[in-house]
mmCIF file of all heavy atoms in Angstrom:
data_model
loop_
_atom_site.group_PDB
_atom_site.id
_atom_site.type_symbol
_atom_site.label_atom_id
_atom_site.label_comp_id
_atom_site.label_asym_id
_atom_site.label_seq_id
_atom_site.Cartn_x
_atom_site.Cartn_y
_atom_site.Cartn_z
ATOM 1 N N LYS A 12 21.690 19.810 -44.677
ATOM 2 C CA LYS A 12 21.204 20.857 -45.579
ATOM 3 C C LYS A 12 21.550 20.486 -47.018
ATOM 4 O O LYS A 12 22.680 20.070 -47.307
ATOM 5 C CB LYS A 12 21.870 22.186 -45.209
ATOM 6 C CG LYS A 12 21.436 23.349 -46.052
ATOM 7 C CD LYS A 12 22.174 24.618 -45.632
ATOM 8 C CE LYS A 12 21.789 25.745 -46.572
ATOM 9 N NZ LYS A 12 22.701 26.868 -46.488
ATOM 10 N N VAL A 13 20.590 20.666 -47.921
ATOM 11 C CA VAL A 13 20.844 20.409 -49.339
ATOM 12 C C VAL A 13 21.714 21.542 -49.875
ATOM 13 O O VAL A 13 21.340 22.709 -49.819
ATOM 14 C CB VAL A 13 19.525 20.302 -50.135
ATOM 15 C CG1 VAL A 13 19.812 20.147 -51.624
ATOM 16 C CG2 VAL A 13 18.682 19.131 -49.638
ATOM 17 N N ILE A 14 22.892 21.179 -50.400
ATOM 18 C CA ILE A 14 23.819 22.195 -50.922
ATOM 19 C C ILE A 14 24.030 22.075 -52.430
ATOM 20 O O ILE A 14 24.683 22.924 -53.030
ATOM 21 C CB ILE A 14 25.183 22.145 -50.208
ATOM 22 C CG1 ILE A 14 25.849 20.787 -50.410
ATOM 23 C CG2 ILE A 14 25.030 22.490 -48.731
ATOM 24 C CD1 ILE A 14 27.321 20.774 -50.058
ATOM 25 N N GLY A 15 23.502 21.012 -53.018
ATOM 26 C CA GLY A 15 23.638 20.837 -54.463
ATOM 27 C C GLY A 15 22.434 20.098 -55.013
ATOM 28 O O GLY A 15 21.979 19.140 -54.406
ATOM 29 N N ARG A 16 21.925 20.607 -56.126
ATOM 30 C CA ARG A 16 20.784 19.971 -56.792
ATOM 31 C C ARG A 16 21.101 19.883 -58.273
ATOM 32 O O ARG A 16 21.753 20.766 -58.819
ATOM 33 C CB ARG A 16 19.520 20.814 -56.644
ATOM 34 C CG ARG A 16 18.963 20.921 -55.267
ATOM 35 C CD ARG A 16 17.738 21.876 -55.270
ATOM 36 N NE ARG A 16 17.058 21.891 -54.006
ATOM 37 C CZ ARG A 16 17.436 22.567 -52.940
ATOM 38 N NH1 ARG A 16 18.519 23.304 -52.983
ATOM 39 N NH2 ARG A 16 16.750 22.521 -51.818
ATOM 40 N N GLY A 17 20.578 18.832 -58.899
ATOM 41 C CA GLY A 17 20.744 18.733 -60.332
ATOM 42 C C GLY A 17 19.750 17.760 -60.922
ATOM 43 O O GLY A 17 19.264 16.876 -60.221
ATOM 44 N N TYR A 18 19.429 17.975 -62.164
ATOM 45 C CA TYR A 18 18.626 17.009 -62.890
ATOM 46 C C TYR A 18 19.187 16.903 -64.296
ATOM 47 O O TYR A 18 19.881 17.803 -64.781
ATOM 48 C CB TYR A 18 17.139 17.354 -62.877
ATOM 49 C CG TYR A 18 16.766 18.697 -63.433
ATOM 50 C CD1 TYR A 18 16.496 18.872 -64.786
ATOM 51 C CD2 TYR A 18 16.670 19.810 -62.598
ATOM 52 C CE1 TYR A 18 16.147 20.121 -65.293
ATOM 53 C CE2 TYR A 18 16.322 21.055 -63.093
ATOM 54 C CZ TYR A 18 16.061 21.195 -64.444
ATOM 55 O OH TYR A 18 15.717 22.424 -64.946
ATOM 56 N N ASN A 19 18.926 15.786 -64.917
ATOM 57 C CA ASN A 19 19.465 15.493 -66.225
ATOM 58 C C ASN A 19 19.069 16.571 -67.240
ATOM 59 O O ASN A 19 17.893 16.895 -67.368
ATOM 60 C CB ASN A 19 18.950 14.123 -66.663
ATOM 61 C CG ASN A 19 19.673 13.579 -67.866
ATOM 62 O OD1 ASN A 19 20.778 13.992 -68.172
ATOM 63 N ND2 ASN A 19 19.048 12.650 -68.547
ATOM 64 N N ARG A 20 20.061 17.125 -67.937
ATOM 65 C CA ARG A 20 19.812 18.168 -68.940
ATOM 66 C C ARG A 20 20.582 17.889 -70.231
ATOM 67 O O ARG A 20 20.912 18.805 -70.981
ATOM 68 C CB ARG A 20 20.238 19.532 -68.375
ATOM 69 C CG ARG A 20 19.401 19.961 -67.188
ATOM 70 C CD ARG A 20 19.951 21.189 -66.543
ATOM 71 N NE ARG A 20 20.231 22.225 -67.538
ATOM 72 C CZ ARG A 20 20.114 23.513 -67.329
ATOM 73 N NH1 ARG A 20 19.723 23.936 -66.158
ATOM 74 N NH2 ARG A 20 20.397 24.388 -68.268
ATOM 75 N N ARG A 21 20.890 16.632 -70.492
ATOM 76 C CA ARG A 21 21.679 16.287 -71.682
ATOM 77 C C ARG A 21 21.015 16.749 -72.971
ATOM 78 O O ARG A 21 21.641 17.376 -73.804
ATOM 79 C CB ARG A 21 21.899 14.768 -71.758
ATOM 80 C CG ARG A 21 23.117 14.321 -71.049
ATOM 81 C CD ARG A 21 23.520 12.922 -71.349
ATOM 82 N NE ARG A 21 22.417 12.023 -71.668
ATOM 83 C CZ ARG A 21 22.574 10.749 -71.922
ATOM 84 N NH1 ARG A 21 23.777 10.217 -71.883
ATOM 85 N NH2 ARG A 21 21.556 9.978 -72.195
ATOM 86 N N ASN A 22 19.742 16.398 -73.135
ATOM 87 C CA ASN A 22 19.037 16.782 -74.363
ATOM 88 C C ASN A 22 18.792 18.283 -74.417
ATOM 89 O O ASN A 22 19.002 18.914 -75.447
ATOM 90 C CB ASN A 22 17.708 16.027 -74.484
ATOM 91 C CG ASN A 22 17.928 14.559 -74.732
ATOM 92 O OD1 ASN A 22 18.919 14.156 -75.326
ATOM 93 N ND2 ASN A 22 17.019 13.737 -74.251
ATOM 94 N N ARG A 23 18.352 18.818 -73.321
ATOM 95 C CA ARG A 23 18.019 20.252 -73.264
ATOM 96 C C ARG A 23 19.227 21.122 -73.605
ATOM 97 O O ARG A 23 19.133 22.070 -74.373
ATOM 98 C CB ARG A 23 17.489 20.571 -71.878
ATOM 99 C CG ARG A 23 17.123 22.012 -71.670
ATOM 100 C CD ARG A 23 16.575 22.195 -70.287
ATOM 101 N NE ARG A 23 16.539 23.588 -69.935
ATOM 102 C CZ ARG A 23 16.227 24.029 -68.748
ATOM 103 N NH1 ARG A 23 15.906 23.188 -67.794
ATOM 104 N NH2 ARG A 23 16.215 25.299 -68.492
ATOM 105 N N ASP A 24 20.380 20.782 -73.026
ATOM 106 C CA ASP A 24 21.590 21.580 -73.235
ATOM 107 C C ASP A 24 22.482 21.014 -74.345
ATOM 108 O O ASP A 24 23.538 21.588 -74.635
ATOM 109 C CB ASP A 24 22.400 21.665 -71.938
ATOM 110 C CG ASP A 24 21.701 22.476 -70.871
ATOM 111 O OD1 ASP A 24 20.622 23.035 -71.140
ATOM 112 O OD2 ASP A 24 22.237 22.548 -69.755
ATOM 113 N N ARG A 25 22.071 19.885 -74.914
ATOM 114 C CA ARG A 25 22.845 19.216 -75.973
ATOM 115 C C ARG A 25 24.298 18.998 -75.540
ATOM 116 O O ARG A 25 25.239 19.308 -76.277
ATOM 117 C CB ARG A 25 22.782 20.005 -77.274
ATOM 118 C CG ARG A 25 21.407 20.014 -77.882
ATOM 119 C CD ARG A 25 21.380 20.827 -79.162
ATOM 120 N NE ARG A 25 20.089 20.724 -79.830
ATOM 121 C CZ ARG A 25 19.028 21.459 -79.524
ATOM 122 N NH1 ARG A 25 19.103 22.338 -78.552
ATOM 123 N NH2 ARG A 25 17.899 21.310 -80.180
ATOM 124 N N SER A 26 24.447 18.451 -74.342
ATOM 125 C CA SER A 26 25.778 18.208 -73.795
ATOM 126 C C SER A 26 25.812 16.886 -73.039
ATOM 127 O O SER A 26 25.007 16.654 -72.124
ATOM 128 C CB SER A 26 26.180 19.340 -72.846
ATOM 129 O OG SER A 26 27.394 19.021 -72.196
ATOM 130 N N THR A 27 26.753 16.060 -73.402
ATOM 131 C CA THR A 27 26.964 14.777 -72.729
ATOM 132 C C THR A 27 27.262 14.963 -71.238
ATOM 133 O O THR A 27 26.992 14.082 -70.440
ATOM 134 C CB THR A 27 28.155 14.049 -73.391
ATOM 135 O OG1 THR A 27 27.892 13.918 -74.775
ATOM 136 C CG2 THR A 27 28.397 12.700 -72.786
ATOM 137 N N LEU A 28 27.809 16.086 -70.875
ATOM 138 C CA LEU A 28 28.259 16.319 -69.501
ATOM 139 C C LEU A 28 27.148 16.734 -68.542
ATOM 140 O O LEU A 28 27.375 16.789 -67.338
ATOM 141 C CB LEU A 28 29.352 17.394 -69.497
ATOM 142 C CG LEU A 28 30.575 17.094 -70.363
ATOM 143 C CD1 LEU A 28 31.514 18.288 -70.370
ATOM 144 C CD2 LEU A 28 31.272 15.840 -69.895
ATOM 145 N N MET A 29 25.983 17.033 -69.035
ATOM 146 C CA MET A 29 24.937 17.605 -68.190
ATOM 147 C C MET A 29 24.089 16.543 -67.482
ATOM 148 O O MET A 29 22.879 16.540 -67.563
ATOM 149 C CB MET A 29 24.065 18.550 -69.018
ATOM 150 C CG MET A 29 24.847 19.734 -69.586
ATOM 151 S SD MET A 29 25.770 20.654 -68.337
ATOM 152 C CE MET A 29 24.446 21.518 -67.551
ATOM 153 N N HIS A 30 24.770 15.680 -66.752
ATOM 154 C CA HIS A 30 24.093 14.678 -65.936
ATOM 155 C C HIS A 30 23.736 15.287 -64.581
ATOM 156 O O HIS A 30 24.414 16.213 -64.109
ATOM 157 C CB HIS A 30 24.997 13.469 -65.725
ATOM 158 C CG HIS A 30 25.155 12.616 -66.937
ATOM 159 N ND1 HIS A 30 25.360 11.271 -66.847
ATOM 160 C CD2 HIS A 30 25.155 12.915 -68.258
ATOM 161 C CE1 HIS A 30 25.471 10.765 -68.061
ATOM 162 N NE2 HIS A 30 25.358 11.750 -68.939
ATOM 163 N N ALA A 31 22.721 14.744 -63.962
ATOM 164 C CA ALA A 31 22.238 15.262 -62.674
ATOM 165 C C ALA A 31 23.349 15.332 -61.630
ATOM 166 O O ALA A 31 23.489 16.334 -60.918
ATOM 167 C CB ALA A 31 21.091 14.393 -62.169
ATOM 168 N N GLU A 32 24.160 14.280 -61.539
ATOM 169 C CA GLU A 32 25.213 14.234 -60.522
ATOM 170 C C GLU A 32 26.275 15.302 -60.766
ATOM 171 O O GLU A 32 26.730 15.954 -59.812
ATOM 172 C CB GLU A 32 25.903 12.853 -60.514
ATOM 173 C CG GLU A 32 24.983 11.704 -60.209
ATOM 174 C CD GLU A 32 24.427 11.021 -61.447
ATOM 175 O OE1 GLU A 32 24.120 11.719 -62.444
ATOM 176 O OE2 GLU A 32 24.298 9.792 -61.440
ATOM 177 N N ILE A 33 26.668 15.487 -62.019
ATOM 178 C CA ILE A 33 27.711 16.466 -62.346
ATOM 179 C C ILE A 33 27.234 17.873 -61.995
ATOM 180 O O ILE A 33 27.975 18.667 -61.397
ATOM 181 C CB ILE A 33 28.093 16.387 -63.847
ATOM 182 C CG1 ILE A 33 28.603 14.979 -64.214
ATOM 183 C CG2 ILE A 33 29.097 17.474 -64.225
ATOM 184 C CD1 ILE A 33 29.858 14.533 -63.502
ATOM 185 N N ILE A 34 25.992 18.180 -62.340
ATOM 186 C CA ILE A 34 25.420 19.497 -62.039
ATOM 187 C C ILE A 34 25.371 19.711 -60.526
ATOM 188 O O ILE A 34 25.771 20.772 -60.022
ATOM 189 C CB ILE A 34 24.026 19.637 -62.673
ATOM 190 C CG1 ILE A 34 24.146 19.609 -64.207
ATOM 191 C CG2 ILE A 34 23.322 20.907 -62.191
ATOM 192 C CD1 ILE A 34 22.828 19.409 -64.936
ATOM 193 N N ALA A 35 24.907 18.700 -59.792
ATOM 194 C CA ALA A 35 24.807 18.813 -58.328
ATOM 195 C C ALA A 35 26.190 18.949 -57.688
ATOM 196 O O ALA A 35 26.373 19.734 -56.752
ATOM 197 C CB ALA A 35 24.059 17.609 -57.758
ATOM 198 N N ILE A 36 27.167 18.205 -58.191
ATOM 199 C CA ILE A 36 28.530 18.286 -57.648
ATOM 200 C C ILE A 36 29.094 19.696 -57.869
ATOM 201 O O ILE A 36 29.711 20.277 -56.966
ATOM 202 C CB ILE A 36 29.447 17.208 -58.278
ATOM 203 C CG1 ILE A 36 29.085 15.823 -57.716
ATOM 204 C CG2 ILE A 36 30.924 17.515 -58.029
ATOM 205 C CD1 ILE A 36 29.748 14.659 -58.432
ATOM 206 N N ARG A 37 28.897 20.258 -59.050
ATOM 207 C CA ARG A 37 29.389 21.618 -59.318
ATOM 208 C C ARG A 37 28.767 22.628 -58.351
ATOM 209 O O ARG A 37 29.461 23.489 -57.799
ATOM 210 C CB ARG A 37 29.078 22.018 -60.753
ATOM 211 C CG ARG A 37 29.971 21.308 -61.768
ATOM 212 C CD ARG A 37 29.651 21.691 -63.168
ATOM 213 N NE ARG A 37 29.946 23.110 -63.351
ATOM 214 C CZ ARG A 37 29.445 23.842 -64.325
ATOM 215 N NH1 ARG A 37 28.632 23.312 -65.201
ATOM 216 N NH2 ARG A 37 29.758 25.112 -64.442
ATOM 217 N N LYS A 38 27.451 22.508 -58.145
ATOM 218 C CA LYS A 38 26.773 23.451 -57.244
ATOM 219 C C LYS A 38 27.234 23.274 -55.805
ATOM 220 O O LYS A 38 27.488 24.254 -55.091
ATOM 221 C CB LYS A 38 25.258 23.285 -57.354
ATOM 222 C CG LYS A 38 24.717 23.779 -58.686
ATOM 223 C CD LYS A 38 23.223 23.561 -58.810
ATOM 224 C CE LYS A 38 22.729 24.077 -60.157
ATOM 225 N NZ LYS A 38 21.297 23.839 -60.336
ATOM 226 N N ALA A 39 27.364 22.031 -55.350
ATOM 227 C CA ALA A 39 27.805 21.770 -53.977
ATOM 228 C C ALA A 39 29.227 22.282 -53.762
ATOM 229 O O ALA A 39 29.535 22.851 -52.702
ATOM 230 C CB ALA A 39 27.714 20.271 -53.667
#
């Protein structure tokens, strides 16, 4: 089962930390 999803949001959120993997790890 998919428990975490993420996509790159660096530009959108103006944050170096908003990589797809980091977002998915937080959600999972």
Side-chain angles (χ1 to χ4, degrees):
K12 181 181 176 196
V13 175
I14 61 165
R16 292 177 173 80
Y18 58 88
N19 192 21
R20 295 172 49 147
R21 271 193 330 182
N22 291 331
R23 179 178 165 187
D24 292 356
R25 293 179 174 83
S26 173
T27 304
L28 303 175
M29 298 307 285
H30 287 211
E32 300 95 322
I33 301 298
I34 295 166
I36 287 170
R37 287 179 65 200
K38 290 178 180 178

